[in-house]
């Protein structure tokens, strides 16, 4: 295993997910390195296959998407790319909630909401939140459950104010990227974002 990537000395692996490894950067306080894998997954990781070149595609896509958001003034953890398959980010403690925004009804939404036709258009976009728990297939959570969990990350208690910020930011991110997709004659159907608190508590 390489001890440096893109000139950055690697520390220990902080966490390893289905498609990425996150490394500490001992010489750069408050930052970490995310290394993409040539791995594609589905169904909470039940289905997984190696796909050569996928890491570079993912890393390039990440850079382009975060570039759009950063230019629009959205505060993200992304700092810069450092190789074909890795990028530098702020080190954050992750809030274990997935924020899903939908423009059209499809997929799992239809299974959970029988009677809604395929392609039903949400205006404004539909928001849903899910607790990150692969073993239980990421159960849907309400605002009240999120607040009652009393999550505390890097000294920040997740309460109503933080919930409201995440709600507004999630819709804003969707609308910014929806417009970007439209310039390519593509439609953004739905998306998922996650939030974290960095070492400075932001």
């Amino acid at each position: 295993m390489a001890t440096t990537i893109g000139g950055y000395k690697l520390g220990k692996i902080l966490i390893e997910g289905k498609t990425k490894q996150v490394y500490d950067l001992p010489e750069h306080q408050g930052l970490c390195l995310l290394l993409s894998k040539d791995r594609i997954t589905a169904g909470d990781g039940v289905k997984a296959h190696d796909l050569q070149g996928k890491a570079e595609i993912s890393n390039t896509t990440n850079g382009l998407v975060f570039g759009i958001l950063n230019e629009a003034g959205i505060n993200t953890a992304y700092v810069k790319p450092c190789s074909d398959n890795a990028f530098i980010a702020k080190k954050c403690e992750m809030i274990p909630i997935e924020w899903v925004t939908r423009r059209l009804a499809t997929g799992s939404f239809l299974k959970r909401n029988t009677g809604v036709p395929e392609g039903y258009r949400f205006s404004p976009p539909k928001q849903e939140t899910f607790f990150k728990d692969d073993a239980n297939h990421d159960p849907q959570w309400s605002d009240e459950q999120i607040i009652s969990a009393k999550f505390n990350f890097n000294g920040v208690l997740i309460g109503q104010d933080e919930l409201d910020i995440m709600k507004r930011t999630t819709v804003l991110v969707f609308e910014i990227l929806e417009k970007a997709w439209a310039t390519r004659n593509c439609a953004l159907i739905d998306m998922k974002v996650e939030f974290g608190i960095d070492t400075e508590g932001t």
Side-chain angles (χ1 to χ4, degrees):
M1 177 64 198
T3 57
T4 64
I5 294 178
Y8 287 86
K9 180 181 178 181
L10 301 182
K12 65 180 181 179
I13 293 180
L14 298 173
I15 190 170
E16 182 166 0
K18 294 184 285 288
T19 61
K20 289 183 180 66
Q21 293 174 318
V22 182
Y23 287 89
D24 186 32
L25 295 176
E27 296 178 351
H28 300 273
Q29 187 175 2
L31 298 179
C32 59
L33 182 146
L34 283 79
L35 178 66
S36 294
K37 302 178 184 179
D38 282 332
R39 193 77 170 156
I40 187 167
T41 67
D44 295 328
V46 174
K47 298 179 181 179
H49 301 281
D50 290 332
L51 183 63
Q52 187 173 359
K54 191 262 185 180
E56 292 185 15
I57 293 171
S58 294
N59 197 55
T60 300
T61 303
N62 283 335
L64 293 172
V65 169
F66 280 114
I68 292 169
L69 296 177
N70 287 342
E71 284 184 18
I74 301 295
N75 182 22
T76 75
Y78 187 87
V79 176
K80 65 177 182 178
C82 64
S83 74
D84 289 342
N85 60 352
F87 66 91
I88 305 301
K90 298 175 186 176
K91 189 186 297 182
C92 298
E93 291 188 355
M94 185 187 69
I95 302 167
I97 299 294
E98 297 178 346
W99 290 79
V100 176
T101 309
R102 305 181 187 276
R103 178 61 78 189
L104 301 179
T106 190
S108 63
F109 182 88
L110 298 179
K111 294 178 181 178
R112 290 182 284 103
N113 297 272
T114 56
V116 178
E118 175 88 31
Y120 181 94
R121 183 175 178 82
F122 300 112
S123 185
K126 179 78 171 177
Q127 278 191 322
E128 297 178 296
T129 48
F130 300 86
F131 177 62
K132 288 180 65 66
D133 182 1
D134 282 352
N136 291 299
H137 307 291
D138 299 336
Q140 189 168 6
W141 269 27
S142 66
D143 291 0
E144 292 77 14
Q145 284 174 295
I146 296 172
I147 293 172
S148 297
K150 299 187 183 301
F151 293 126
N152 193 312
F153 298 102
N154 276 329
V156 176
L157 178 66
I158 306 303
Q160 186 65 57
D161 289 346
E162 289 71 25
L163 190 73
D164 290 342
I165 290 170
M166 289 187 284
K167 278 178 178 285
R168 292 194 302 269
T169 303
T170 299
V171 172
L172 183 57
V173 166
F174 183 88
E175 291 177 341
I176 290 169
L177 295 182
E178 185 178 42
K179 290 178 181 178
W181 262 233
T183 66
R184 298 290 183 175
N185 199 29
C186 294
L188 183 58
I189 305 302
D190 54 44
M191 65 172 292
K192 176 182 72 176
V193 298
E194 298 173 18
F195 293 87
I197 307 296
D198 66 20
T199 55
E200 296 181 356
T202 61

